């Protein structure tokens, strides 16, 4: 599903507001159950989340291919 640039900005702000630093011990159970996705150091985690939430398969494929 393609979303407009304005919708992307709104989604970015929403997702950014839902993020926070977490200690590893808090993430372990999610990691163990396969619910953690690692994002490379040079990438904006929230931007990647926007791509995933908007089903941007082309963008995600480019990232995986890097």
């Amino acid at each position: 599903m393609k979303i407009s640039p304005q919708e992307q900005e709104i989604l970015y702000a929403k997702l950014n507001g839902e993020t926070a630093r977490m200690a590893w011990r808090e993430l372990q159970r999610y990691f163990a159950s396969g619910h953690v996705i690692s994002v490379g150091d040079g990438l904006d985690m929230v931007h990647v989340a926007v791509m995933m939430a908007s089903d941007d398969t082309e963008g995600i494929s480019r990232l995986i291919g890097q």
Side-chain angles (χ1 to χ4, degrees), residues 8-59:
Q8 285 181 353
E9 287 180 30
I10 292 168
L11 182 56
Y12 186 97
K14 178 186 181 298
L15 292 171
N16 192 44
E18 294 176 356
T19 62
R21 289 191 176 269
M22 291 179 76
W24 174 246
R25 69 180 188 287
E26 296 175 51
L27 282 174
Q28 281 179 319
R29 69 181 174 129
Y30 298 106
F31 181 80
S33 63
H35 292 101
V36 173
I37 297 173
S38 176
V39 176
D41 289 337
L43 298 174
D44 178 345
M45 177 182 72
V46 179
H47 178 72
V48 173
V50 169
M51 292 170 74
M52 293 175 70
S54 61
D55 292 328
D56 183 354
T57 54
E58 279 184 30

